[in-house]
Every structure is written in C-alpha cells, then in structure tokens.
Amino acid sequence: MGCIENLPYEMILPLGASFKECREYVEKNYSEFWYVDPGYRIFDEYLIGLPPIALGIDGNRIIFPYTKPCHGTYLLAVEDADETTRVRKTARKKK
C-alpha cells in the first residue's frame, strides 16, 4: 500500500500520544491484541516505538500506533482483512 495517510483510517488517540499510552489503550480496550517489535511492517510502513508494540484486532480492523517523524505518535484503526490475517500469523501473543 505505502503511505498511511492514504488509507481510510480512524484516529483512536490523538497526535502526541506516548508509546506507553497506545500500548495500554490497546491492552485495555481490545480483547485480541498482538505484540511486535520496532521495525515490524504494517501496510508497507515500518513501525517505530518502544517495545513491545501492541496491535489490537477488532474484526477486520487493526489498531496500531503510528509515529509520523517530526510530528509525533497517534493510535489508528484501519480496516483490512488481508493485513489482519498477516498480523495474526506473524505477531506474538504475549509480551
């Protein structure tokens, strides 16, 4: 896909959220979540942050922290069945 900004996303936590706030929000608000390390690719973009990075899944929606260099981090939700399936196959369940 490429640029996150070109995806139809929903902003869950606003710009300026910390990595810890994003992880805690995902763990508290989603019954299915997975962990990845910095450098994990999602929608052809590499995630940056402090490990472990929590990715929530709600149906076909992926909830993930995205850091826009020079701007900050925010928590996004994007609906994509293929990417959701890939996360389930490649991420780990526990910290």
Side-chain angles (χ1 to χ4, degrees):
M1 285 212 170
C3 185
I4 297 293
E5 291 181 3
N6 293 332
L7 297 173
Y9 65 83
E10 174 189 355
M11 190 178 301
I12 306 294
L13 290 179
L15 188 64
S18 72
F19 297 120
K20 182 180 178 185
E21 288 172 321
C22 291
R23 180 175 47 251
E24 288 174 350
Y25 186 92
V26 167
E27 292 171 343
K28 181 179 178 185
N29 292 285
Y30 298 95
S31 59
E32 182 180 0
F33 50 89
W34 300 80
Y35 296 102
V36 297
D37 292 321
Y40 184 83
R41 271 185 14 168
I42 191 162
F43 300 109
D44 290 330
E45 294 286 330
Y46 293 97
L47 294 180
I48 59 176
L50 299 175
I53 298 172
L55 308 178
I57 294 184
D58 183 22
N60 287 328
R61 289 177 34 169
I62 303 172
I63 297 80
F64 62 99
Y66 181 70
T67 301
K68 191 171 182 179
C70 300
H71 293 281
T73 300
Y74 46 101
L75 191 64
L76 301 180
V78 175
E79 186 147 343
D80 189 296
D82 292 337
E83 199 71 4
T84 302
T85 298
R86 191 183 71 75
V87 166
R88 285 181 173 127
K89 289 180 179 178
T90 61
R92 63 186 185 277
K93 263 291 205 201
K94 297 183 180 184
K95 286 190 214 181

